[in-house]
Amino acid sequence: MSFAQQLLRENESVWRHWLPHPFTRGVAEGSIAPAVFQRWLAQDYLFVHEGIRFLAVLISKAPSPLIEPLVETAETWRRELALFRRNALAQGVALDVAPHPATRAYLDFLFATAHRHPFLVGWAALYGVEQSYHDAWRWVAANSRAGGPYGEWVQNWASDAFAGFTRFLAETLDAEAAQARERELKPARQAFAETARHEAMFWDMALGTDGLEP
Ligand code: MP5
């Protein structure tokens, strides 16, 4: 079993927390309250916008062949911001909100992981970020009718192109792990596991289960 497959296997129970999550189930069924979706929209916009700094740290540590794929990833995230802005404008959602503590904690974790550890560890976190969203939105795609109001979001993360991107992340992770020292694999496992838990907390936050106002 490849390193990426091991990580997925080791974190199956966390994955099950949000596959599906009441939030994504609500999106698939079209029953999600607009205010709940809008909270996710504003917080995820912040996540992607600030998350580009995480990519920047990874770029600074990347082996040469991975510089361009990471710059392309940053460009994809930048383009994605237009999708958020367009939807926010259409729904009258303010995007200049403060980060929810769950968003802040996720971002701080990513920054610290990329800064403090060898490149492989940050890459493992990036793989967790992207694979988890791909799986979450692929579930939405498989469980909602085509042409629903959230089609753009589904297309963004559930597409074949995005699947190809997550495969690239997994294969590169495997190649990097094969060359890494054993002492780097443990923090990489931890970073992936922690990423999966932040994903769980992010969905909980979006749903508003903390009971706080958006
Ligand atoms: C992603 C995201 C995927 N947008 N939000 C969270 C909480 N996790 C993962 O990242 P991207 O930049 O949208 O591909």
Side-chain angles (χ1 to χ4, degrees):
M1 193 187 295
S2 77
F3 186 61
Q5 284 168 341
Q6 286 173 35
L7 296 184
L8 292 173
R9 171 75 64 87
E10 286 164 12
N11 291 281
E12 264 172 7
S13 65
V14 188
W15 238 247
R16 272 200 297 276
H17 181 81
W18 46 259
L19 198 67
H21 190 273
F23 184 95
T24 39
R25 193 183 286 283
V27 170
E29 291 171 354
S31 59
I32 195 103
V36 171
F37 189 80
Q38 289 166 3
R39 177 185 17 236
W40 169 82
L41 185 75
Q43 291 298 320
D44 212 42
Y45 172 80
L46 267 176
F47 178 83
V48 176
H49 187 262
E50 294 298 308
I52 292 172
R53 299 185 204 273
F54 161 64
L55 295 178
V57 182
L58 283 184
I59 291 167
S60 75
K61 292 189 166 188
S64 293
L66 293 176
I67 293 176
E68 285 181 57
L70 276 165
V71 170
E72 269 174 42
T73 303
E75 173 56 14
T76 305
W77 289 25
R78 190 192 70 78
R79 265 189 272 113
E80 205 172 86
L81 294 174
L83 173 66
F84 281 92
R85 290 197 187 106
R86 193 158 23 80
N87 275 270
L89 197 65
Q91 296 181 41
V93 177
L95 290 177
D96 57 344
V97 295
H100 185 285
T103 311
R104 186 77 267 159
Y106 196 174
L107 287 166
D108 285 349
F109 155 72
L110 291 174
F111 299 153
T113 300
H115 271 294
R116 288 192 196 139
H117 291 281
F119 175 77
L120 166 73
V121 182
W123 188 270
L126 176 63
Y127 174 54
V129 167
E130 302 288 31
Q131 186 66 53
S132 55
Y133 245 44
H134 178 55
D135 288 351
W137 288 93
R138 212 174 35 178
W139 185 92
V140 176
N143 290 279
S144 53
R145 63 189 164 79
Y150 304 106
E152 263 188 315
W153 302 103
V154 172
Q155 173 63 20
N156 192 55
W157 290 294
S159 68
D160 290 345
F162 201 87
F165 171 55
T166 60
R167 262 198 309 281
F168 165 74
L169 293 175
E171 285 163 11
T172 305
L173 179 64
D174 291 339
E176 292 291 314
Q179 293 174 25
R181 280 184 274 260
E182 193 53 38
R183 67 166 189 271
E184 285 173 25
L185 294 183
K186 192 169 169 209
R189 281 183 203 286
Q190 282 171 349
F192 185 88
E194 211 168 324
T195 303
R197 298 179 80 90
H198 277 290
E199 284 293 324
M201 292 191 288
F202 199 87
W203 289 123
D204 288 350
M205 174 275 294
L207 196 66
T209 39
D210 58 15
L212 298 171
E213 289 299 309

